[in-house]
Amino acid sequence: MVAVQRLPPRTTTKTHTNKVKPLELNPTQGELLEVMLDKTHFRVAFGGSRKGGKSFGGRVAIVTRALRFAGTAHLIIRRTLSELRSNHLNEMHKLLQFRFGLVLGKDYTYVQSTYTFTFINKRFCLEGVPSTITLGYADKEKDCERYQGVPYMTIWIDEAQQLDKSVYDKLMGSLQNEKYPGEFAKVLLTANPGGVGHRWIKKYFVQESTRLSATRWIKSHLQDNVWMGKSDPQFANRMREDYADKPWLLAQWLDGDWDVTEDGFFTFNKDRNVKDIEIPHYARWFCGADYGYSVTPFAVIWGAVWHNPYTNERFCHIAHEYRKFKLDMDVQAQYALDMEERYRIPPDVARYADPATRARTEHNSSAASKTVAQAWAAEGWYTIPSNKVAKHVGLQIINGLLTKGILTISPSCVSLINEIEDAVYARNPDGTLDDVTDPRQPDDMTDALRYAIQKIWRHAWGSESTDPWELVTDKESEE
C-alpha cells in the first residue's frame, strides 16, 4: 500500500490542533492511489456501482498528488457549481484536517471567490510557488475555457458520465507536467454506468479492446464500501425494491455493469436495423434536412419508403447522409444537389426540412436577406416544411419503426448510426427520465430524419388509423 503523506503531530494550542484519524482505504481505493502515483498510466478511470467510494478515493488521490508534487496545480471538475459545493467543499476540508493533519490558515488556505485550496506550508511549495487544488465546473465545452492557461498536474473529472466527450477533450489540453521530469500529469475520471457519457467512457476507458493507451480502469464495488455498509445497510435492498421494474438500472447501480443498456433512448439493434438494401424502382424517395452553420452542422439524409403488397411488409431505408459545418445556406443547397446527382437520387424526391427554415435568415453568400428555405430554393433545392409537432412525437415514431424493423439504415450512414446508438433520455431536475433525447448530445442527423419521418407517416399528424405506422403512399402528406 502506498504511504499517504501527512504532517507530523502538532503541539500547538487546542484551537489549531486537529484530531487526526487513520486514513483507511478499501482495496479499490488503495489500488487507485497506487495507480495515481505510478509512472505507467496517465489516464485513470475509477467507477462502477453506486456508493462504491469513488469520491473519497478521488479526493485522497488528488490531495496526495498535490502534497507530493510541491508547487503544482490540480483541478477537480463537476458538471455544476452546486454539485461541486455539496459534494466536495466540506468533504475536502474534513479530509485535509482530520485525515492529513493540516491546519486551515497555517498549512493551507481556501479562497471562496476562486474555489481554490492553496497549500502554503513550505513543504508543499517549490521555489516559493505553492501547490493548489481548484474546484471547477463545466457542463459544456465552452465552460472549459476558464481553465485554459494553467498547467494542471492532475485533472479529476467527477461523475464524468454526465458530460459529453467534448468537455473531456477540451480539458485535456490543460493537462501538463512542467516541473517533474519522469512523472506523469494525470487525468482521473470517476463515473457510474449510464448518462450522456456512458458510451465514450466505456469505449475509451472501460472496454479493453478499445481502451486508450496508458489507461488504467479500476472497477468499484458496493461491497467494498465498508462505511456504506454500516451507515446504510439497507441501501441495496431498497434499490431492488424501488427499481424492480428496471433491471438494467439495478445492474448499473448495484453491479456497476457497463454492458447493459443504460438509459438509451432508441431500441436499436445493428443486426436488425443496419444493412444494405436494394431499393426497388417503385419506391418513393424522400430527404430530411436540418440547417446549421457553426454550432451545429448542415445535416441531410436521403431514403426511400415502399410497400410490398404481396407480403404486406413496409420498408423505410436510409441510404445516404451528408453532414458539414460552416456552409452558407446557398452553398448548402449546392452541395446537396451535388450529392443527389452523385447518389442518383430521383428528381421527384420529396425534401422535408425544419419548419423554422421558413422563418429564419442565416448566413447567405449574397447580400440579399433571405430565409433559409428561400436561399435553398434560389439554388434549385426546394423543401417542404415538416409538421409542427412536439419533438417527442417524431422520436417515438422513429423508435417504433426501429423496433418493428421497418426502419433500416445503410452502414455508410455512420453519423446517423452513431447518433442513434449514443442517444440517451434527457433527465428532469428531479432525476426522472424525460420523453426526449438529451440535448447535450449531437442530434443533427436524427433531427433531419425526424423532419422527414414525422411528415410521411400518418401517426405524426393524428391519424385515427389502427396501424400507427401506416405509410402515406399518396401526396396527402405534402398538402
Side-chain angles (χ1 to χ4, degrees):
M1 185 65 67
V2 175
V4 178
Q5 186 171 357
R6 61 166 64 89
L7 291 180
R10 293 181 174 273
T11 57
T12 55
T13 62
K14 186 176 182 179
T15 305
H16 298 292
T17 301
N18 298 326
K19 294 182 179 180
V20 180
K21 299 179 182 179
L23 184 60
E24 298 177 352
L25 302 178
N26 68 39
T28 51
Q29 291 170 339
E31 181 182 356
L32 171 65
L33 184 56
E34 291 180 355
V35 175
M36 288 297 289
L37 296 175
D38 70 20
K39 300 180 182 181
T40 305
H41 307 91
F42 66 88
R43 300 184 189 92
V44 184
F46 182 42
S49 61
R50 286 199 169 190
K51 307 299 182 181
K54 299 183 303 299
S55 295
F56 184 75
R59 284 190 289 268
V60 170
I62 200 166
V63 169
T64 302
R65 284 179 60 82
L67 302 187
R68 172 169 290 199
F69 302 114
T72 55
H74 307 259
L75 177 65
I76 302 175
I77 287 289
R78 281 289 293 253
R79 186 172 67 89
T80 66
L81 181 59
S82 60
E83 292 176 3
L84 190 72
R85 287 171 171 168
S86 62
N87 287 276
H88 290 298
L89 182 53
N90 290 335
E91 295 301 320
M92 280 290 289
H93 280 292
K94 289 193 290 186
L95 179 68
L96 293 173
Q97 295 175 28
F98 302 115
R99 292 294 190 271
F100 284 85
L102 306 186
V103 176
L104 179 62
K106 288 194 171 184
D107 299 316
Y108 79 96
T109 61
Y110 175 71
V111 178
Q112 180 68 31
S113 61
T114 59
Y115 307 105
T116 301
F117 293 86
T118 302
F119 299 93
I120 56 177
N121 186 294
K122 64 180 181 181
R123 294 179 59 186
F124 313 130
C125 299
L126 181 66
E127 297 178 350
V129 178
S131 285
T132 60
I133 296 178
T134 299
L135 307 183
Y137 60 97
D139 185 35
K140 49 188 178 295
E141 184 179 353
K142 188 175 182 179
D143 295 335
C144 302
E145 293 177 1
R146 62 172 66 94
Y147 308 112
Q148 292 180 333
V150 178
Y152 291 105
M153 187 71 171
T154 312
I155 297 178
W156 170 23
I157 307 175
D158 191 24
E159 299 295 343
Q161 80 277 1
Q162 299 177 351
L163 301 174
D164 186 78
K165 187 174 182 292
S166 61
V167 174
Y168 165 82
D169 291 337
K170 191 77 170 182
L171 288 170
M172 285 295 286
S174 297
L175 188 69
Q176 300 174 38
N177 171 21
E178 297 182 342
K179 299 180 179 180
Y180 291 87
E183 299 289 349
F184 275 5
K186 300 204 176 199
V187 60
L188 168 64
L189 271 60
T190 47
N192 300 115
V196 67
H198 177 102
R199 283 187 169 87
W200 71 264
I201 294 172
K202 177 182 176 182
K203 179 178 181 180
Y204 295 113
F205 288 84
V206 179
Q207 195 165 272
E208 186 175 1
S209 61
T210 55
R211 189 180 299 157
L212 297 170
S213 61
T215 299
R216 180 71 170 269
W217 161 245
I218 303 170
K219 185 174 181 179
S220 61
H221 305 275
L222 175 61
Q223 57 269 31
D224 289 336
N225 193 341
V226 178
W227 177 87
M228 186 67 187
K230 294 178 180 178
S231 63
D232 190 1
Q234 295 303 315
F235 173 77
N237 291 335
R238 190 168 63 251
M239 292 296 101
R240 293 187 182 97
E241 291 177 1
D242 293 345
Y243 299 99
D245 59 337
K246 297 179 179 178
W248 58 270
L249 194 59
L250 290 175
Q252 290 180 343
W253 287 3
L254 298 183
D255 302 328
D257 193 338
W258 289 81
D259 292 326
V260 296
T261 302
E262 78 284 16
D263 43 356
F265 190 91
F266 294 107
T267 307
F268 181 75
N269 181 288
K270 278 193 172 182
D271 292 335
R272 179 186 65 216
N273 299 117
V274 179
K275 56 183 69 176
D276 278 318
I277 293 181
E278 184 176 351
I279 298 175
H281 65 88
Y282 58 85
R284 178 184 173 193
W285 280 81
F286 66 87
C287 165
D290 186 25
Y291 70 92
Y293 186 73
S294 59
V295 177
T296 59
F298 173 54
V300 190
I301 56 94
W302 289 273
V305 289
W306 67 95
H307 174 231
N308 186 329
Y310 301 103
T311 63
N312 203 32
E313 290 180 285
R314 293 174 172 83
F315 301 89
C316 178
H317 183 66
I318 309 303
H320 308 289
E321 69 175 16
Y322 182 74
R323 182 177 186 270
K324 195 172 181 65
F325 284 93
K326 292 189 176 181
L327 293 180
D328 290 331
M329 298 300 144
D330 47 349
V331 179
Q332 290 179 3
Q334 296 165 11
Y335 270 71
L337 288 169
D338 289 344
M339 293 297 103
E340 290 180 2
E341 182 177 358
R342 177 186 302 178
Y343 296 140
R344 298 183 180 179
I345 306 296
D348 62 346
V349 57
R351 306 184 189 96
Y352 304 105
D354 183 348
T357 57
R358 298 282 163 155
R360 297 197 62 166
T361 303
E362 295 193 16
H363 296 286
N364 294 316
S365 296
S366 62
S369 177
K370 301 176 182 177
T371 66
V372 173
Q374 288 172 339
W376 287 347
E379 302 300 321
W381 201 62
Y382 300 95
T383 58
I384 302 167
S386 185
N387 295 327
K388 292 183 178 180
V389 297
K391 183 175 182 176
H392 75 272
V393 174
L395 294 175
Q396 288 173 359
I397 297 172
I398 294 174
N399 205 21
L401 297 174
L402 288 169
T403 303
K404 289 175 175 284
I406 295 174
L407 176 58
T408 54
I409 305 171
S410 169
S412 64
C413 298
V414 176
S415 295
L416 177 60
I417 292 171
N418 287 342
E419 283 189 11
I420 291 177
E421 276 194 306
D422 293 346
V424 297
Y425 281 96
R427 287 190 177 273
N428 297 310
D430 62 359
T432 58
L433 299 181
D434 202 344
D435 56 3
V436 295
T437 53
D438 193 313
R440 293 173 294 172
Q441 292 184 288
D443 61 356
D444 315 288
M445 305 306 301
T446 309
D447 277 347
L449 173 62
R450 178 169 62 87
Y451 296 137
I453 291 296
Q454 67 191 25
K455 185 71 176 177
I456 63 176
W457 291 83
R458 289 185 186 275
H459 180 68
W461 40 276
S463 170
E464 297 296 329
S465 170
T466 56
D467 180 3
W469 317 115
E470 184 177 352
L471 175 64
V472 176
T473 54
D474 53 27
K475 293 294 182 179
E476 188 176 3
S477 67
E478 297 182 15
E479 295 177 356

